[in-house]
PDB file of all heavy atoms in Angstrom:
ATOM      1  N   GLN O 331       2.813 -36.216  34.493  1.00 95.00           N
ATOM      2  CA  GLN O 331       4.136 -36.085  35.090  1.00 95.00           C
ATOM      3  C   GLN O 331       4.379 -34.602  35.416  1.00 95.00           C
ATOM      4  O   GLN O 331       4.091 -33.734  34.609  1.00 95.00           O
ATOM      5  CB  GLN O 331       5.223 -36.576  34.128  1.00 95.00           C
ATOM      6  CG  GLN O 331       5.068 -38.034  33.692  1.00 95.00           C
ATOM      7  CD  GLN O 331       4.289 -38.157  32.393  1.00 95.00           C
ATOM      8  OE1 GLN O 331       3.378 -37.376  32.116  1.00 95.00           O
ATOM      9  NE2 GLN O 331       4.654 -39.154  31.592  1.00 95.00           N
ATOM     10  N   GLN O 332       4.911 -34.339  36.598  1.00 96.00           N
ATOM     11  CA  GLN O 332       5.203 -32.974  37.032  1.00 96.00           C
ATOM     12  C   GLN O 332       4.031 -32.029  36.724  1.00 96.00           C
ATOM     13  O   GLN O 332       4.157 -31.062  35.954  1.00 96.00           O
ATOM     14  CB  GLN O 332       6.497 -32.477  36.368  1.00 96.00           C
ATOM     15  CG  GLN O 332       7.706 -33.358  36.659  1.00 96.00           C
ATOM     16  CD  GLN O 332       8.973 -32.872  35.982  1.00 96.00           C
ATOM     17  OE1 GLN O 332       9.114 -31.712  35.615  1.00 96.00           O
ATOM     18  NE2 GLN O 332       9.920 -33.785  35.801  1.00 96.00           N
ATOM     19  N   ILE O 470       8.862 -32.660  25.580  1.00 97.00           N
ATOM     20  CA  ILE O 470       7.886 -32.308  26.604  1.00 97.00           C
ATOM     21  C   ILE O 470       8.585 -32.446  27.948  1.00 97.00           C
ATOM     22  O   ILE O 470       9.009 -33.540  28.337  1.00 97.00           O
ATOM     23  CB  ILE O 470       6.638 -33.215  26.557  1.00 97.00           C
ATOM     24  CG1 ILE O 470       5.922 -33.083  25.210  1.00 97.00           C
ATOM     25  CG2 ILE O 470       5.679 -32.854  27.692  1.00 97.00           C
ATOM     26  CD1 ILE O 470       4.704 -33.982  25.065  1.00 97.00           C
ATOM     27  N   VAL O 471       8.696 -31.327  28.644  1.00 97.00           N
ATOM     28  CA  VAL O 471       9.408 -31.315  29.919  1.00 97.00           C
ATOM     29  C   VAL O 471       8.688 -32.213  30.924  1.00 97.00           C
ATOM     30  O   VAL O 471       7.473 -32.114  31.118  1.00 97.00           O
ATOM     31  CB  VAL O 471       9.515 -29.869  30.455  1.00 97.00           C
ATOM     32  CG1 VAL O 471      10.101 -29.863  31.869  1.00 97.00           C
ATOM     33  CG2 VAL O 471      10.381 -29.033  29.515  1.00 97.00           C
ATOM     34  N   GLY O 472       9.469 -33.088  31.555  1.00 95.00           N
ATOM     35  CA  GLY O 472       8.903 -34.020  32.525  1.00 95.00           C
ATOM     36  C   GLY O 472       8.467 -35.330  31.918  1.00 95.00           C
ATOM     37  O   GLY O 472       8.163 -36.286  32.640  1.00 95.00           O
ATOM     38  N   VAL O 473       8.413 -35.385  30.577  1.00 95.00           N
ATOM     39  CA  VAL O 473       7.967 -36.606  29.891  1.00 95.00           C
ATOM     40  C   VAL O 473       9.138 -37.259  29.150  1.00 95.00           C
ATOM     41  O   VAL O 473       9.480 -38.405  29.414  1.00 95.00           O
ATOM     42  CB  VAL O 473       6.801 -36.304  28.928  1.00 95.00           C
ATOM     43  CG1 VAL O 473       6.407 -37.564  28.137  1.00 95.00           C
ATOM     44  CG2 VAL O 473       5.594 -35.771  29.694  1.00 95.00           C
ATOM     45  N   ASN O 474       9.760 -36.523  28.218  1.00 95.00           N
ATOM     46  CA  ASN O 474      10.913 -37.106  27.528  1.00 95.00           C
ATOM     47  C   ASN O 474      12.178 -36.259  27.688  1.00 95.00           C
ATOM     48  O   ASN O 474      13.164 -36.476  26.988  1.00 95.00           O
ATOM     49  CB  ASN O 474      10.597 -37.372  26.046  1.00 95.00           C
ATOM     50  CG  ASN O 474      10.378 -36.097  25.251  1.00 95.00           C
ATOM     51  OD1 ASN O 474      10.275 -35.004  25.803  1.00 95.00           O
ATOM     52  ND2 ASN O 474      10.278 -36.238  23.929  1.00 95.00           N
ATOM     53  N   CYS O 475      12.150 -35.304  28.604  1.00 96.00           N
ATOM     54  CA  CYS O 475      13.358 -34.577  29.001  1.00 96.00           C
ATOM     55  C   CYS O 475      13.127 -33.958  30.373  1.00 96.00           C
ATOM     56  O   CYS O 475      11.971 -33.731  30.766  1.00 96.00           O
ATOM     57  CB  CYS O 475      13.739 -33.497  27.969  1.00 96.00           C
ATOM     58  SG  CYS O 475      12.558 -32.156  27.824  1.00 96.00           S
ATOM     59  N   HIS O 476      14.184 -33.721  31.109  1.00 96.00           N
ATOM     60  CA  HIS O 476      14.107 -33.113  32.454  1.00 96.00           C
ATOM     61  C   HIS O 476      13.099 -33.870  33.330  1.00 96.00           C
ATOM     62  O   HIS O 476      12.197 -33.285  33.935  1.00 96.00           O
ATOM     63  CB  HIS O 476      13.720 -31.630  32.352  1.00 96.00           C
ATOM     64  CG  HIS O 476      14.570 -30.853  31.394  1.00 96.00           C
ATOM     65  ND1 HIS O 476      15.934 -30.682  31.577  1.00 96.00           N
ATOM     66  CD2 HIS O 476      14.258 -30.229  30.222  1.00 96.00           C
ATOM     67  CE1 HIS O 476      16.421 -29.962  30.564  1.00 96.00           C
ATOM     68  NE2 HIS O 476      15.432 -29.694  29.727  1.00 96.00           N
ATOM     69  N   THR O 477      13.278 -35.156  33.400  1.00 94.00           N
ATOM     70  CA  THR O 477      12.303 -36.009  34.089  1.00 94.00           C
ATOM     71  C   THR O 477      12.540 -36.133  35.589  1.00 94.00           C
ATOM     72  O   THR O 477      11.659 -36.616  36.310  1.00 94.00           O
ATOM     73  CB  THR O 477      12.305 -37.423  33.460  1.00 94.00           C
ATOM     74  OG1 THR O 477      13.648 -37.931  33.483  1.00 94.00           O
ATOM     75  CG2 THR O 477      11.797 -37.376  32.030  1.00 94.00           C
ATOM     76  N   GLU O 478      13.716 -35.723  36.089  1.00 94.00           N
ATOM     77  CA  GLU O 478      13.947 -35.804  37.532  1.00 94.00           C
ATOM     78  C   GLU O 478      13.033 -34.783  38.231  1.00 94.00           C
ATOM     79  O   GLU O 478      12.804 -33.680  37.732  1.00 94.00           O
ATOM     80  CB  GLU O 478      15.413 -35.535  37.865  1.00 94.00           C
ATOM     81  CG  GLU O 478      15.949 -34.153  37.517  1.00 94.00           C
ATOM     82  CD  GLU O 478      16.202 -33.941  36.033  1.00 94.00           C
ATOM     83  OE1 GLU O 478      16.155 -34.920  35.265  1.00 94.00           O
ATOM     84  OE2 GLU O 478      16.438 -32.776  35.660  1.00 94.00           O
ATOM     85  N   THR O 479      12.519 -35.165  39.409  1.00 93.00           N
ATOM     86  CA  THR O 479      11.525 -34.307  40.049  1.00 93.00           C
ATOM     87  C   THR O 479      11.468 -34.522  41.551  1.00 93.00           C
ATOM     88  O   THR O 479      11.867 -35.581  42.058  1.00 93.00           O
ATOM     89  CB  THR O 479      10.125 -34.573  39.441  1.00 93.00           C
ATOM     90  OG1 THR O 479       9.175 -33.701  40.046  1.00 93.00           O
ATOM     91  CG2 THR O 479       9.679 -36.010  39.673  1.00 93.00           C
ATOM     92  N   THR O 480      10.929 -33.530  42.244  1.00 90.00           N
ATOM     93  CA  THR O 480      10.665 -33.636  43.683  1.00 90.00           C
ATOM     94  C   THR O 480       9.166 -33.622  43.960  1.00 90.00           C
ATOM     95  O   THR O 480       8.740 -33.394  45.090  1.00 90.00           O
ATOM     96  CB  THR O 480      11.315 -32.455  44.429  1.00 90.00           C
ATOM     97  OG1 THR O 480      10.750 -31.225  43.958  1.00 90.00           O
ATOM     98  CG2 THR O 480      12.821 -32.439  44.241  1.00 90.00           C
ATOM     99  N   GLU O 481       8.374 -33.860  42.924  1.00 83.00           N
ATOM    100  CA  GLU O 481       6.923 -33.715  43.059  1.00 83.00           C
ATOM    101  C   GLU O 481       6.342 -34.692  44.078  1.00 83.00           C
ATOM    102  O   GLU O 481       6.872 -35.785  44.314  1.00 83.00           O
ATOM    103  CB  GLU O 481       6.240 -33.938  41.708  1.00 83.00           C
ATOM    104  CG  GLU O 481       6.254 -35.402  41.229  1.00 83.00           C
ATOM    105  CD  GLU O 481       5.523 -35.607  39.906  1.00 83.00           C
ATOM    106  OE1 GLU O 481       5.501 -34.677  39.081  1.00 83.00           O
ATOM    107  OE2 GLU O 481       4.984 -36.697  39.716  1.00 83.00           O
TER     108      GLU O 481
END
Side-chain angles (χ1 to χ4, degrees):
Q331 301 93 326
Q332 302 179 22
I470 299 178
V471 173
V473 176
N474 67 350
C475 66
H476 309 297
T477 55
E478 63 285 349
T479 182
T480 61
E481 71 178 30

